[in-house]
Amino acid sequence: MKKFLLQIALFLSAGTLLNAQVYQQGFFLKDYRPVYRINPALFPDSDFIGGFELTRNKVQNYGVSTFYYPTDGGLVTGLHESISADQFLSRIPNTVARNGEIALNLFSYGIRRGDAYHSFEIGFRLPTTMTAPKGIFELLKRGTTDARYDLSDLGVKAQGYIELNYGYGRKLSDIVSIGGRAKLLIAEYGLSYRFTQFDVEKSDAGYTIFSKAEIDLPSSFYKAEGYPDQKISLSDIHAHHKFPLPTGAGAAFDLGVAVTPNEYLTLSAAILDLGGIAWHYGNAAASSGYVYFDGVGPLSYDDLNKDGLTKRATEIAKKFLDGVYPKLRYDKWRVEALPFTANLGIRYTIPSCDKVRVGAIAQYINYKYSPYWEARLGADYNPFKWLDLTASFGRGSFGFLYSFGVSVHVSRFQIYYGLETSTAGTQKNTTSPIDPVHRTWSLGLTYDL
Amino acid sequence: MNHRFLLFSGLAMLLSFVSCTRSEYDPDGVNREMTLFGEEIFVPIGQVGPITVKDLLSSNKSIASLLESLMKEESNGTFYIESEDQVFAVNAFRELMDIPDPTQPYHWDIGSQSCSIASTAALLRMFNIGFMNQRLSLYATNPITAPLTLNTDIWVRCKDNSYQETYSKEYKMEDFSLRSSYSAISLFKLDIPAEVIDLVASVEMNDLTLDLPANAKDQVRPSDDAKFSFYTSFTSNLALSEKFSLSQAFPISKLNVPLGKFKLHKCYLAFDLENTLPLDVTIKSIKLRDEKGNEIKDVVFSSDVKIIGGKPGAATVTPVVLEVEALTGTIPDIHEVVLDLKFEYSKTAGLVPLSSAMSLSMKTASVKLYGGITLFGK
């Protein structure tokens, strides 16, 4: 059992790249029940319940090809001397970012009442972000050729929260529908370590490092004991509650409108995840300071040996750590906005062949680091009553992208699976994308009532 | 049927597209060799040293053993030596026993007496260490409770290494009254001119006579240590003479810098050499040695860098850049660095007394590596 849980945990943590991402390809799927996730003004033909739907996505503006180069002698890293600095650094974005999310929808319920459609959902979301500034790679590749390096925005973050939402969509007329979803977000736990400032300035005599970092560990399981401004270490963090009590709360809203001029054509526009979470960082710390490094000296003549130099290096490391050591923070509340998504869509059922739908959809995700956009053309083919197939292609922030999806009916059950991805390719024997990638896959099961 | 065939063919193509791999990015056999900081990397070292004048002089074992017993340090850091040397001393009771008629005054003709001054310190002259600000005092003790009259002709002589007299001073003391005192009586103090760096070689008291009162024997103080004595007290700072020249290797051992596993071609060691030694310093060479103590000959340093002498409060600062370059391959592991330095009298600094504040220090030392540091991957 432990092994199984461990595998689940590893799987979740390895995936860690979602950000309020929905399965866009569902817009084309004829029988995609939770279509209101794309636009709350769109709703399915039938009532349904669903459960254990998993959506996972990642958006990363780098890939294997960002750091590795094929040569006649095999694959080399960008730090190999055969790769020029300009060649290597031109491929690296200003902030190397990896955003991701795993969204597990535990329960869905959709019901039509007259011209209105109501939906309820309970789910869990685990968004993660990892960022590294370009300056780090510049420093590693070129060395200290510049007088100043900005290495801020180095950090990792993972946050877990429960989402309870209620959606309401209504036909205002035969043509126009509107909808909205209200989401109650219950913060559960998180981990964040981010340098908001990390400047390295070089002078003739040495380096000055200015550093500001924020460390957050919102969790009811553990509590950091101490007083504000006290230096903290792992030994100051003790077990607290045994149950996952909330560590914050928030709200978000989806708004949408759909226009259906005739029975074949649908136009859709929506904005999703407008809102945020007020996190209570019961275990928050910050560090701020600067360290001046002008060498390992003063060294006496007797210090000039390995032991003496090692001792001095250790003293300097301690001095640096003292300068940037995290301290408990007074301010323990912080509101963080969710990255919102805006999408536009159009779909058209071919009158002469109602088994085929064509259309287009575009979306923009407002990630703080590396915002993402895409637009694509798609089609849906419903050859049999029990089978629905869809595919699309287009362009996005990372070049060409495509997707496909399938939905299968068995009695009243419907299982669907879909994958959207840019043409990043995958490194052999690994799951690492070769190029920058946006990839979403979704798997779900619903039951028509 | 055709529809189904097309459909599943399309799906198969899509699936294969999704899972496509590019053979050129095969992770097997990745060459993990990396060259970091490819253009340059600046590594500050800071201040290194100082090599003090004491370190310098102690690097010669002979000088070190002499200085250990002689050299002292004033509160201001100036080094000095001091010694007391006896010219003449006799027990008062024993001497007065032989007076023919103790009830009559007695004219005691002692004759000529002399002594060498700081004879051990004189050995320092062999190493061209001179003496500055020499101060010589002559004291006498009067063991009886009545004053005595003293007559003598005193010569103080300085001689060079060849025993040629370079300075002398004569004092004539006629009818000098040695008052009755428990403590020593100062006969004279002499400050040798600062430019005389030859050690006071001798003090001679010629035609020394003492006139004793009647019944002198009965007036001797009741003490076992009642003596007629004459002795010198001598202090002197040390200085380095014009002929001073010392070539000394300063080994920096047990470094164990494992450079061999990196690919390093060239680096510059830059520093400001602050010199308050009154010596011109020449970096004759810098040698690197491997674990077995063998000289690494595949690396060249620029050499024969000369740093002008200074003194405390008037340091000379000389920017120095040393280039280290591997002739072939990479700079190997370094276990020892030997600095071969030559120290010579500095005309610029002139003659100054040695002090602990005199030193040679590397200020703002730094290393710049060019061409990167290559880490060899597997």
Side-chain angles (χ1 to χ4, degrees):
Chain A
M1 185 63 179
K2 280 184 180 175
K3 191 178 177 185
F4 174 72
L5 290 174
L6 185 63
Q7 285 173 337
I8 293 289
L10 284 173
F11 172 72
L12 292 175
S13 59
T16 76
L17 298 178
L18 317 200
N19 265 321
Q21 173 75 6
V22 295
Y23 174 50
Q24 295 286 313
Q25 189 64 27
F27 180 69
F28 300 113
L29 266 179
K30 188 177 178 185
D31 294 324
Y32 182 56
R33 300 293 181 240
V35 67
Y36 49 77
R37 292 178 192 162
I38 301 166
N39 181 346
L42 299 173
F43 23 87
D45 296 331
S46 58
D47 302 344
F48 78 99
I49 58 170
F52 297 100
E53 298 159 85
L54 187 65
T55 302
R56 180 182 169 206
N57 96 325
K58 66 178 169 186
V59 179
Q60 64 180 50
N61 59 6
Y62 65 93
V64 172
S65 65
T66 310
F67 300 107
Y68 288 88
Y69 292 75
T71 66
D72 293 340
L75 209 56
V76 298
T77 70
L79 294 173
H80 192 271
E81 65 181 345
S82 64
I83 308 299
S84 73
D86 289 342
Q87 190 182 359
F88 176 53
L89 296 172
S90 66
R91 289 195 187 183
I92 296 188
N94 287 334
T95 301
V96 175
R98 187 173 193 245
N99 295 294
E101 187 181 64
I102 292 174
L104 178 64
N105 206 56
L106 298 169
F107 175 74
S108 305
Y109 176 49
I111 184 168
R112 180 186 289 274
R113 286 288 182 270
D115 288 337
Y117 196 88
H118 305 266
S119 65
F120 305 90
E121 289 187 336
I122 300 174
F124 179 76
R125 291 189 168 209
L126 179 66
T128 59
T129 304
M130 183 188 73
T131 54
K134 184 176 184 175
I136 288 178
F137 302 99
E138 196 172 353
L139 195 61
L140 288 173
K141 184 66 182 174
R142 289 190 195 279
T144 51
T145 50
D146 295 336
R148 185 173 180 276
Y149 290 87
D150 179 3
L151 307 180
S152 53
D153 290 334
L154 174 68
V156 292
K157 180 160 75 175
Q159 294 172 327
Y161 62 89
I162 294 168
E163 178 181 315
L164 292 94
N165 67 61
Y166 165 69
Y168 178 79
R170 184 177 186 84
K171 282 186 179 239
L172 295 180
S173 68
D174 289 342
I175 296 175
V176 178
S177 301
I178 58 168
R181 284 209 303 166
K183 302 174 179 179
L184 174 64
L185 309 174
I186 301 169
E188 275 303 320
Y189 57 82
L191 170 66
S192 169
Y193 199 136
R194 176 164 298 282
F195 284 92
T196 53
Q197 183 187 20
F198 200 117
D199 293 335
V200 180
E201 288 182 4
K202 187 180 80 170
S203 66
D204 290 340
Y207 297 98
T208 307
I209 300 168
F210 298 91
S211 153
K212 280 186 183 174
E214 293 175 348
I215 304 105
D216 302 318
L217 183 63
S219 168
S220 60
F221 296 115
Y222 299 99
K223 187 175 182 183
E225 306 283 354
Y227 49 86
D229 278 346
Q230 175 190 320
K231 289 181 179 177
I232 63 163
S233 63
L234 286 177
S235 62
D236 297 318
I237 299 174
H238 305 291
H240 197 43
H241 295 295
K242 290 183 177 177
F243 302 103
L245 298 177
T247 57
F253 299 92
D254 298 348
L255 298 170
V257 59
V259 178
T260 313
N262 56 56
E263 63 179 302
Y264 303 111
L265 182 63
T266 301
L267 303 170
S268 164
I271 188 159
L272 313 176
D273 288 320
L274 282 174
I277 299 175
W279 288 88
H280 178 242
Y281 290 96
N283 300 308
S287 67
S288 177
Y290 72 94
V291 179
Y292 180 61
F293 172 64
D294 62 352
V296 292
L299 291 170
S300 70
Y301 184 63
D302 294 336
D303 288 332
L304 291 174
N305 53 61
K306 189 179 180 183
D307 292 342
L309 294 172
T310 304
K311 187 181 168 192
R312 281 295 298 147
T314 306
E315 288 169 359
I316 287 164
K318 280 184 181 172
K319 183 180 153 192
F320 176 79
L321 288 175
D322 276 348
V324 299
Y325 210 91
K327 296 172 183 172
L328 276 176
R329 210 171 58 198
Y330 291 95
D331 170 25
K332 291 187 175 180
W333 282 96
R334 187 164 50 229
V335 176
E336 290 187 17
L338 299 181
F340 70 84
T341 299
N343 63 46
L344 290 170
I346 180 171
R347 68 184 180 208
Y348 180 68
T349 303
I350 296 173
S352 58
C353 178
D354 63 358
K355 291 183 176 180
V356 176
R357 287 204 284 188
V358 296
I361 192 164
Q363 69 165 340
Y364 168 81
I365 308 174
N366 184 43
Y367 294 126
K368 182 178 178 185
Y369 305 99
S370 185
Y372 176 77
W373 67 269
E374 65 172 36
R376 46 198 156 110
L377 300 171
D380 176 72
Y381 181 42
N382 187 201
F384 314 108
K385 196 174 179 181
W386 55 271
L387 181 65
D388 196 10
L389 300 166
T390 181
S392 66
F393 67 93
R395 284 193 69 83
S397 295
F398 307 134
F400 183 76
L401 57 94
Y402 60 92
S403 71
F404 69 87
V406 58
S407 170
V408 177
H409 288 267
V410 179
S411 181
R412 290 189 176 195
F413 288 97
Q414 180 208 30
I415 186 166
Y416 63 89
Y417 172 75
L419 174 70
E420 306 170 328
T421 183
S422 51
T423 53
T426 304
Q427 195 180 27
K428 184 182 172 186
N429 298 329
T430 74
T431 56
S432 306
I434 290 173
D435 294 321
V437 69
H438 166 231
R439 185 171 291 164
T440 303
W441 66 258
S442 188
L443 175 68
L445 177 68
T446 58
Y447 178 78
D448 289 343
L449 299 173
Chain B
M1 189 67 183
N2 281 343
H3 279 211
R4 288 186 194 178
F5 176 75
L6 285 172
L7 181 68
F8 288 108
S9 298
L11 272 177
M13 283 176 68
L14 270 175
L15 285 168
S16 63
F17 198 19
V18 169
S19 59
C20 77
T21 58
R22 279 143 67 179
S23 59
E24 70 268 32
Y25 288 100
D26 187 343
D28 294 334
V30 172
N31 180 348
R32 290 193 166 81
E33 181 182 309
M34 288 187 272
T35 300
L36 303 177
F37 319 120
E39 293 181 10
E40 70 167 58
I41 178 75
F42 167 71
V43 184
I45 295 174
Q47 181 182 327
V48 181
I51 295 175
T52 65
V53 70
K54 201 170 182 178
D55 293 331
L56 172 66
L57 296 175
S58 300
S59 62
N60 181 303
K61 285 182 182 174
S62 303
I63 301 176
S65 62
L66 282 173
L67 292 179
E68 191 178 0
S69 57
L70 292 172
M71 197 163 73
K72 296 177 180 174
E73 189 175 336
E74 291 175 21
S75 56
N76 65 2
T78 308
F79 296 125
Y80 71 100
I81 59 169
E82 64 180 356
S83 72
E84 281 192 359
D85 298 285
Q86 188 172 281
V87 183
F88 168 70
V90 291
N91 185 284
F93 286 110
R94 196 178 305 148
E95 191 61 35
L96 297 179
M97 290 270 286
D98 299 334
I99 295 176
D101 183 0
T103 60
Q104 295 300 311
Y106 177 63
H107 178 76
W108 182 13
D109 186 357
I110 298 171
S112 293
Q113 301 289 335
S114 67
C115 78
S116 297
I117 304 297
S119 53
T120 309
L123 295 171
L124 290 170
R125 295 185 304 183
M126 294 167 59
F127 304 101
N128 294 308
I129 295 175
F131 302 86
M132 272 192 84
N133 306 329
Q134 300 178 70
R135 168 168 284 193
L136 182 73
S137 301
L138 182 63
Y139 294 94
T141 57
N142 179 358
I144 63 176
T145 56
L148 310 176
T149 302
L150 176 148
N151 285 279
T152 188
D153 181 13
I154 302 169
W155 280 93
V156 176
R157 300 178 196 281
C158 297
K159 292 180 179 176
D160 65 13
N161 286 351
S162 310
Y163 295 99
Q164 298 299 307
E165 189 171 290
T166 56
Y167 174 83
S168 64
K169 181 83 176 177
E170 181 186 15
Y171 282 85
K172 286 191 177 297
M173 306 191 78
E174 293 180 354
D175 297 332
F176 184 87
S177 176
L178 279 181
R179 69 181 188 281
S180 171
S181 171
Y182 281 100
S183 55
I185 300 153
S186 174
L187 300 184
F188 75 88
K189 291 182 189 299
L190 172 64
D191 287 321
I192 311 287
E195 65 272 15
V196 177
I197 61 166
D198 292 319
L199 181 67
V200 175
S202 63
V203 173
E204 300 160 17
M205 300 181 79
N206 297 323
D207 303 326
L208 172 61
T209 63
L210 287 176
D211 289 303
L212 308 178
N215 300 314
K217 185 181 171 188
D218 299 332
Q219 297 176 63
V220 174
R221 298 178 199 283
S223 167
D224 294 340
D225 199 32
K227 285 180 183 174
F228 292 100
S229 73
F230 296 87
Y231 66 91
T232 61
S233 173
F234 174 78
T235 61
S236 173
N237 295 131
L238 299 172
L240 301 174
S241 72
E242 283 187 35
K243 292 179 182 172
F244 183 85
S245 177
L246 178 67
S247 289
Q248 187 62 45
F250 286 88
I252 300 169
S253 305
K254 297 179 183 175
L255 281 173
N256 302 329
V257 183
L259 297 181
K261 62 182 170 186
F262 308 112
K263 204 157 68 182
L264 292 177
H265 303 297
K266 183 186 272 192
C267 76
Y268 287 95
L269 175 64
F271 51 88
D272 288 337
L273 208 51
E274 185 182 276
N275 190 12
T276 53
L277 294 174
L279 295 166
D280 294 341
V281 184
T282 307
I283 302 174
K284 297 298 291 180
S285 68
I286 298 179
K287 295 189 179 86
L288 306 180
R289 297 193 191 282
D290 63 17
E291 199 171 10
K292 294 176 181 172
N294 299 321
E295 185 179 341
I296 299 166
K297 294 191 173 172
D298 194 30
V299 175
V300 288
F301 274 92
S302 53
S303 57
D304 276 338
V305 177
K306 188 166 186 177
I307 299 105
I308 301 299
K311 51 191 169 187
T316 62
V317 178
T318 309
V320 178
V321 177
L322 296 170
E323 181 182 331
V324 189
E325 184 172 10
L327 295 174
T328 58
T330 175
I331 299 173
D333 290 0
I334 297 172
H335 287 263
E336 185 179 58
V337 177
V338 181
L339 304 174
D340 189 2
L341 306 179
K342 185 174 185 183
F343 299 86
E344 294 171 292
Y345 176 83
S346 172
K347 288 179 182 171
T348 313
L351 196 66
V352 287
L354 299 180
S355 79
S356 58
M358 292 173 168
S359 64
L360 185 68
S361 298
M362 286 166 66
K363 302 280 185 183
T364 61
S366 64
V367 171
K368 268 188 186 176
L369 296 169
Y370 292 94
I373 301 170
T374 299
L375 310 177
F376 295 99
K378 291 180 180 176

